[in-house]
Amino acid sequence: MRFLRKSLTGLFLFALTLGLLAWAGLMVRDAVQARMNEEPRRRPAQERVFSVNTVTVETGSVVPILSVFGEVQSSRTLELRAASSGALIDLAPEFVEGGRVTDSQLLARIDPVEAQAALDRAESDLMDAQAEGREAGRAIGIARDELVAAEDQVRLREQALQRAKDLLVRRVGSEATVETAELALSSARQAVLNQRQAVATAEARIDQAKTAQRRAEIARDEAARRLADTEIRAAFSGTLTGVSVVAGRLVSQNEQLAQLVDPDALEVAFRVSTSQYARLIGPEGLRPAKVAVKMDGYGTALQATGQLSRESASVGEGQTGRLLFATLGAAHGFKPGDFVTVEIEEPALDRVARLPATALGADNTVLALDEDQRLEVVAVTLERRQGDTVLVRAPGLRGREVVAERTPLLGAGIKVAPIRAEGAKARGQEPAPDMVALSEERRARLVAFVEGNNRMPPEAKTRVLAQLQQDMVPAEVVARIEQRMGG
């Protein structure tokens, strides 16, 4: 009985479980069917609003800045060459790389022994020529006196001949006496001719003596010039570069010893395109526009100002555009060969607006906001590109807001939410530089590198060292120094 009772109880529980499972399955089926038969609930459609950075269009007179790259060079560069050959002596202490010299300063001397001997020989030859001239002068005086005496003899012979003829007419003398007088007169006349020849020879001797003296003077001057060429002097005040000699070295004629550069006569040469060149010329040619030269390095910048001075006469083979030159004023820290950024002021543009470059589309349009904060496509005229900004002419946009950063999602009719707090950033203003804290070991390594850099200008080195001593140092300065360290 007990077995039967337990078997029936188990069968009952099993049947009850099957019933519950079947009832649960029916409930799930009914719920699914009811869900499928219900009409879907629709949410009301909402317009999507985009947040955009905006800037306000302000028009006025703007001076465009043309930015190009150029090279600093000196307008006065002189090659110092040896005018004669020999050994270098008396080398000046300033005759070194970077030495500062003054006008007419003696820099070096080539051994003048041979040149001095040649000058002494030339002076001796000149003294001989002068003595020959004096002797020729005395000789012509004697020759002229002898000519006068010979002419007196002719007059006396003529008188004797005349007396002999008179005696012959009075039948006192003889014909032999007359012939003898005639022969004597002929001999006297021949003597006169001989003396005239002597005078002419003496005069020619004087001319030859003058010519010889002149040649001796030329030889002496040439020898003196060769002696002067043994001295190498500075033609103007400046700085020496490319020095390749030492005292005692043998140099050959016309060998380059160094270059003399005038550090106060600096100019910058740069090339612009033809369209940029067209904006810099006026009715009378190249405008004397103002020029600013900058050279960045180690977080600092060397700056100088100047003025456009001239342009190259030809384009140059394989070149384009125009090569221009600008004379620099006080350009402390700049050296010939520096690669710099040149900024030239163009003629001012009236009634233009400065906008971020990202606000201008490829079709020269901008997206402006209307009264309902919806975007409107407005066409503008592009005048200049200035780095991250553009200068546009848009008469109808003055005072309106335009999108500072266009994206493919923005277009006409789209409603936006302007973010005016970012307007200053969108206009291209520079954010504050990132600052970093340096460990003592890293700071010491950077300071040692800067102090040992001899190519760095003293002014820039002082500023960088002052920045490295601060608790927070600009990250850009640290990155540039470590880049040059090879780290």
Side-chain angles (χ1 to χ4, degrees), residues 121-296:
R121 288 193 297 268
E123 290 178 348
S124 299
D125 295 340
L126 178 59
M127 294 175 62
D128 292 340
Q130 292 173 347
E132 177 64 20
R134 291 191 297 269
E135 184 179 354
R138 291 190 295 269
I140 194 174
I142 297 174
R144 287 173 178 172
D145 292 341
E146 292 180 350
L147 177 60
V148 172
E151 290 175 348
D152 292 340
Q153 288 290 331
V154 170
R155 287 194 296 271
L156 293 175
R157 296 299 180 182
E158 289 177 348
Q159 294 175 1
L161 177 60
Q162 186 61 37
R163 285 195 300 271
K165 289 181 178 180
D166 292 341
L167 293 176
L168 181 62
V169 172
R170 290 182 299 193
R171 299 184 182 276
V172 176
S174 62
E175 293 181 357
T177 304
V178 173
E179 292 177 355
T180 302
E182 290 177 349
L183 291 174
L185 178 60
S186 177
S187 299
R189 289 176 176 174
Q190 184 63 40
V192 169
L193 292 177
N194 293 336
Q195 292 303 320
R196 287 179 179 175
Q197 182 64 35
V199 171
T201 302
E203 290 177 349
R205 184 180 176 185
I206 289 179
D207 295 337
Q208 293 175 355
K210 290 181 179 179
T211 303
Q213 181 177 349
R214 181 55 182 164
R215 290 177 179 173
E217 291 175 351
I218 294 175
R220 180 203 57 187
D221 296 340
E222 184 177 356
R225 185 169 57 253
R226 290 178 179 174
L227 180 61
D229 288 341
T230 59
E231 296 182 351
I232 301 174
R233 295 182 177 272
F236 52 85
S237 300
T239 305
L240 294 176
T241 182
V243 179
S244 59
V245 293
V246 293
R249 174 185 168 182
L250 291 175
V251 296
S252 59
Q253 188 176 6
N254 203 36
E255 179 181 353
Q256 180 175 335
L257 308 180
Q259 283 187 339
L260 180 60
V261 179
D262 189 351
D264 298 327
L266 295 180
E267 62 181 9
V268 58
F270 55 93
R271 187 171 293 275
V272 297
S273 64
T274 305
S275 59
Q276 293 171 341
Y277 171 75
R279 300 197 296 263
L280 296 176
I281 60 175
E284 299 180 357
L286 191 65
R287 299 176 184 270
K290 293 183 179 180
V291 173
V293 177
K294 299 179 181 180
M295 183 176 65
D296 296 330

Side-chain angles (χ1 to χ4, degrees), residues 59 131-132 149 202 235 249 255 258 272-273 300 311 376 436 440 453:
T59 60
E132 177 64 20
R249 174 185 168 182
E255 179 181 353
V272 297
S273 64
T300 60
E311 57 184 302
E376 177 186 358
V436 296
E440 295 299 329
N453 191 348

Side-chain angles (χ1 to χ4, degrees), residues 25-77:
L26 291 175
M27 292 183 65
V28 172
R29 187 193 64 179
D30 294 341
V32 171
Q33 290 180 352
R35 180 66 177 174
M36 294 178 63
N37 292 332
E38 288 182 356
E39 294 183 358
R41 292 178 296 177
R42 298 180 180 179
R43 296 181 179 179
Q46 295 182 356
E47 183 180 7
R48 186 176 180 181
V49 180
F50 293 89
S51 298
V52 294
N53 296 324
T54 61
V55 292
T56 303
V57 178
E58 299 178 357
T59 60
S61 179
V62 180
V63 178
I65 302 298
L66 175 61
S67 180
V68 294
F69 295 103
E71 182 181 0
V72 177
Q73 60 187 23
S74 176
S75 58
R76 297 182 67 188
T77 302

Side-chain angles (χ1 to χ4, degrees), residues 391-415:
L391 301 181
V392 298
R393 197 178 298 278
L397 288 179
R398 183 175 183 179
R400 296 183 61 181
E401 290 181 308
V402 297
V403 177
E405 300 173 358
R406 297 183 60 164
T407 65
L409 300 177
L410 302 179
I414 296 178
K415 191 171 184 178

Side-chain angles (χ1 to χ4, degrees), residues 260-398:
L260 180 60
V261 179
D262 189 351
D264 298 327
L266 295 180
E267 62 181 9
V268 58
F270 55 93
R271 187 171 293 275
V272 297
S273 64
T274 305
S275 59
Q276 293 171 341
Y277 171 75
R279 300 197 296 263
L280 296 176
I281 60 175
E284 299 180 357
L286 191 65
R287 299 176 184 270
K290 293 183 179 180
V291 173
V293 177
K294 299 179 181 180
M295 183 176 65
D296 296 330
Y298 295 97
T300 60
L302 298 177
Q303 298 184 1
T305 58
Q307 190 175 27
L308 281 179
S309 58
R310 67 186 190 280
E311 57 184 302
S312 179
S314 60
V315 177
E317 184 177 357
Q319 300 291 337
T320 59
R322 299 291 185 271
L323 182 62
L324 305 182
F325 298 89
T327 303
L328 300 181
H332 301 295
F334 287 94
K335 301 295 181 182
D338 285 338
F339 188 71
V340 295
T341 302
V342 185
E343 296 180 349
I344 308 102
E345 293 185 1
E346 298 183 14
L349 297 177
D350 298 328
R351 299 186 298 276
V352 295
R354 186 186 297 273
L355 298 177
T358 54
L360 184 66
D363 54 352
N364 288 340
T365 60
V366 295
L367 297 177
L369 278 67
D370 58 11
E371 297 178 355
D372 296 333
Q373 304 298 327
R374 295 187 181 276
L375 297 181
E376 177 186 358
V377 178
V378 180
V380 296
T381 302
L382 176 63
E383 296 292 341
R384 298 285 191 278
R385 291 189 179 273
Q386 302 284 287
D388 295 335
T389 63
V390 291
L391 301 181
V392 298
R393 197 178 298 278
L397 288 179
R398 183 175 183 179

